[in-house]
Amino acid sequence: RVEVEMHGDANNLRTPNGSVVTYKFPARGSKPAATVKWYEGPTQPKAPEGYDYKIGRGGGLIMVGTKGGICHDGMRPGSPRLYPQANWNDYKSKENEAKRVPKTLPRVKEGIQGDWMKAMREGKKSCSDFSYSAPLAEVIVLGTLAIRTGKALDWDAKTQTIKNNDAAKALFKIPARKGWNPEDLI
């Protein structure tokens, strides 16, 4: 389910002055249900309980857990940290070095575009290949459709259909020139 709170009207030519998009993901296997909120425009989230860093204006992420959480400033998570700050200081301390989470993902020094080019040249998997980027793009498009129509929508990922928002359905399946429909490419 994708819900939207608008700060301005839905419009075919421009985005509203701001919005809050709420994604409600169902439980999957052993993974519990999750709610993700995307704030866009002048609206900022309220700091969750225990959050003791300043919330900046340049974007970022706050993940709320049961004993604090993880946060980072900016649009790329280059240096995430724990909150409250006491948790981060404890994690970084020499005494807890052996308890730190091991780095299992490769670090990308050349940026995501450079990593993509390197993957093509070397025939390796990039850090954000389609198994990662396609579901992410799907989520972004659904939020955009909710913003564009100003209405919530229910998405069936298995059938790739919108259940309850006719305006979003019409935007989801727009006509394309012959040869450029997904069915034509298979």
Side-chain angles (χ1 to χ4, degrees):
R1 174 138 179 108
V2 182
E3 299 171 355
V4 65
E5 174 187 325
M6 306 277 284
H7 303 285
D9 295 328
N11 186 299
N12 285 336
L13 299 176
R14 60 170 171 72
T15 59
N17 188 31
S19 59
V20 179
V21 179
T22 303
Y23 299 93
K24 295 187 176 184
F25 296 97
R28 295 179 303 149
S30 63
K31 297 176 183 176
T35 299
V36 173
K37 288 191 176 228
W38 176 274
Y39 291 81
E40 186 172 86
T43 304
Q44 285 190 308
K46 290 181 179 145
E49 187 177 328
Y51 190 85
D52 52 359
Y53 294 103
K54 182 181 180 217
I55 296 179
R57 303 251 349 134
L61 171 110
I62 301 173
M63 295 178 80
V64 179
T66 57
K67 299 176 184 175
I70 299 172
C71 61
H72 73 78
D73 299 323
M75 294 306 291
R76 298 274 182 240
S79 54
R81 59 194 183 277
L82 300 175
Y83 73 85
Q85 290 181 39
N87 288 1
W88 184 232
N89 294 338
D90 185 47
Y91 180 80
K92 290 189 320 179
S93 71
K94 278 280 191 198
E95 300 85 47
N96 287 323
E97 198 168 1
K99 295 180 188 176
R100 290 186 193 157
V101 176
K103 293 180 180 180
T104 58
L105 299 174
R107 300 309 191 243
V108 179
K109 293 176 178 58
E110 55 275 314
I112 58 172
Q113 291 88 356
D115 179 64
W116 184 64
M117 296 298 292
K118 182 180 174 184
M120 287 190 292
R121 282 193 298 269
E122 297 177 7
K124 296 179 180 175
K125 184 176 172 179
S126 70
C127 68
S128 58
D129 71 329
F130 287 109
S131 68
Y132 168 83
S133 61
L136 177 60
E138 185 176 309
V139 167
I140 292 167
V141 166
L142 293 172
T144 302
L145 289 171
I147 291 170
R148 179 107 180 250
T149 62
K151 298 176 185 168
L153 57 92
D154 289 322
W155 174 247
D156 184 330
K158 287 184 182 177
T159 62
Q160 301 276 293
T161 56
I162 297 168
K163 295 181 177 183
N164 63 329
N165 182 329
D166 290 337
K169 282 181 193 177
L171 292 169
F172 184 72
K173 188 78 173 172
I174 58 172
R177 290 190 332 248
K178 184 168 175 43
W180 290 95
N181 286 298
E183 305 83 43
D184 300 334
L185 301 173
I186 298 175

